[in-house]
Amino acid sequence: RQMCVTLCFFIIARVTTIKLNDGDDNVFGLSNGAQAFFETGLLGALITTIVASIMWQLVASSFPMAFLSTPFTYVLLRWCLFLEWTGLCQGSWVFAMILRKIVGYKRDEVYIGTAEERTAKSAAKNSAEP
């Protein structure tokens, strides 16, 4: 869902961005400040936030059974659960991979050893104690 909302966010921001040529009048005769706001793409962000995100949450919370009982919602839910199960869409994996490349992190086994090595070390330490 978040990926879909983000995609909608960028597409609508691109579509609703109004860039005028030099010498053109402002849209609807508005002030230069309002025209500068239209050129940023934030109008698309506002529309996306209201329509693509909040509206569906309100519908789902008001009519949960009607919302969840449609066949399309069931298929979409199954697809989303499958994607979540794969872990492909989890940003923490990407962030961890970038940090590993930048900082040079190594696997835990390099620092603390494998479970077997730790068990052997603990057993040796316990047998050495009087």
Side-chain angles (χ1 to χ4, degrees):
R1 185 181 76 84
Q2 291 300 325
M3 288 176 53
C4 181
V5 170
T6 303
L7 179 66
C8 290
F9 190 90
F10 282 108
I11 290 172
I12 293 175
R14 180 73 176 152
V15 168
T16 60
T17 301
I18 301 170
K19 183 74 171 165
L20 298 177
N21 297 324
D22 292 335
D24 289 343
D25 292 334
N26 289 347
V27 176
F28 303 123
L30 294 172
S31 67
N32 290 336
Q35 183 61 41
F37 174 72
F38 289 155
E39 291 177 1
T40 62
L42 291 175
L43 182 63
L46 185 64
I47 292 169
T48 305
T49 302
I50 293 169
V51 175
S53 184
I54 297 173
M55 185 175 76
W56 293 107
Q57 291 177 12
L58 291 173
V59 169
S61 67
S62 297
F63 309 102
M65 292 307 293
F67 187 77
L68 291 173
S69 64
T70 63
F72 177 72
T73 304
Y74 180 77
V75 170
L76 189 61
L77 176 66
R78 287 294 185 178
W79 173 249
C80 290
L81 288 173
F82 172 75
L83 278 178
E84 181 69 25
W85 174 78
T86 63
L88 290 174
C89 300
Q90 300 201 5
S92 60
W93 291 107
V94 177
F95 188 62
M97 190 171 53
I98 291 170
L99 277 177
R100 186 177 68 199
K101 296 287 184 190
I102 292 172
V103 179
Y105 290 135
K106 297 177 181 64
R107 298 190 60 85
D108 287 343
E109 288 82 13
V110 174
Y111 299 108
I112 61 174
T114 63
E116 292 81 14
E117 293 171 346
R118 289 192 310 267
T119 304
K121 186 185 279 187
S122 177
K125 183 179 177 183
N126 288 340
S127 65
E129 291 179 0

